[in-house]
Amino acid sequence: MRGLTGAGPVRARTTTQAATTATAVLAAVVLFAAGCGAGGTGARDEGPAHTDPVASAPAAAASAEPSRTPDRVDAVRLVKADPEVSAEVKRELKPCVADQYPVDVSYGNLTRGSVDDVVVNVLTCGDAVGVGSYVYREQGGAYVNVFSAEEPPLYAEIDGGDLVVTKQVYARKDQVSNPSGDDVITYRWESGRFAEKYRTHNDYGQVAGAKPVPAPGS
């Protein structure tokens, strides 16, 4: 009886250990089965996410190179040699003071070329009224006239990749310094030419000449 009594704890410990071992094995099997049957989850699936080739990303996201700003252009020579410019504008194109000519020059990508386009405004010496606006595009190492406007007073500018021409409007009694309004015309380069896209008209308020209106009952 003593031997049986002493064997009880040993047998209990052995049974407990076996149950614990079986439980651990069963848990491991369940976890393994869950990891395999989760359909794309678990540590095994995280590997490829971190091993994607990084070098291929810049190639896919590569963008077109921006146009290059040309060296400073001799706008006076460009306009005088341009057969598209009228003789009247060429006569106006003369030095105002010493060798200072009344021209404004801007560079920008208007025609989607590899080199920035050149916008030239020819003004008068006395009151800086625009008499001619032109756009030149680089083609084969030379600049070609792709836009001309000679209806003064006007001025051409580059705005967000578009060509914007402002033409001042005068009433019969308006002075040169006080136009009645303006027309703003937006052109965009399409199919090898500038096409008109938008046109707005603005009337200027005649604040200086306005007379006060008497209050009712006064």
Side-chain angles (χ1 to χ4, degrees), residues 137-144:
R137 186 175 193 265
E138 193 276 336
Q139 293 181 3
Y143 284 101
V144 178

Side-chain angles (χ1 to χ4, degrees), residues 16 24-26 56-57 68 71-72 92 110-111 118 129 139 154 170 181 185-186 215:
T16 302
V25 171
L26 179 59
S56 62
R68 177 177 59 84
D71 296 333
R72 187 173 181 178
E92 290 285 346
L110 291 170
T111 66
V118 183
V129 172
Q139 293 181 3
L154 78 170
Y170 290 86
I185 310 169
T186 300

Side-chain angles (χ1 to χ4, degrees), residues 11 17-18 29 31 34 43 50 66 70 77 79 81 83 91 100 111 117 152 157 183 186-187 191 203 209 217:
R11 217 175 264 161
Q17 290 176 354
V29 171
L31 289 175
H50 294 285
R77 176 180 294 182
V79 170
R91 284 195 299 269
Q100 300 298 314
T111 66
D117 306 297
E157 300 175 280
D183 291 324
T186 300
Y187 297 90
S191 303
D203 286 327

Side-chain angles (χ1 to χ4, degrees), residues 138-153:
E138 193 276 336
Q139 293 181 3
Y143 284 101
V144 178
N145 185 324
V146 292
F147 180 87
S148 297
E150 296 180 339
E151 299 175 5

Side-chain angles (χ1 to χ4, degrees), residues 5-96:
T5 303
V10 174
R11 217 175 264 161
R13 286 197 300 270
T14 303
T15 303
T16 302
Q17 290 176 354
T20 303
T21 303
T23 302
V25 171
L26 179 59
V29 171
V30 171
L31 289 175
F32 178 80
C36 293
T41 59
R44 184 175 182 178
D45 294 333
E46 294 178 0
H50 294 285
T51 57
D52 287 341
V54 178
S56 62
S63 58
E65 294 183 1
S67 59
R68 177 177 59 84
T69 301
D71 296 333
R72 187 173 181 178
V73 174
D74 188 340
V76 174
R77 176 180 294 182
L78 195 62
V79 170
K80 286 187 173 182
D82 185 358
E84 300 293 328
V85 178
S86 66
E88 183 178 356
V89 172
K90 290 181 180 180
R91 284 195 299 269
E92 290 285 346
L93 189 53
K94 54 187 177 182
C96 297

Side-chain angles (χ1 to χ4, degrees), residues 110 119 135 147 156-159 161-165 185-187 194:
L110 291 170
V119 178
V135 179
F147 180 87
E157 300 175 280
I158 300 172
D159 184 6
D162 290 335
L163 176 67
V164 179
V165 178
I185 310 169
T186 300
Y187 297 90
F194 282 103

Side-chain angles (χ1 to χ4, degrees), residues 187-200:
Y187 297 90
R188 187 169 298 163
W189 184 259
E190 293 180 350
S191 303
R193 66 184 184 88
F194 282 103
E196 181 178 329
K197 304 302 293 184
Y198 313 104
R199 180 185 288 259
T200 60

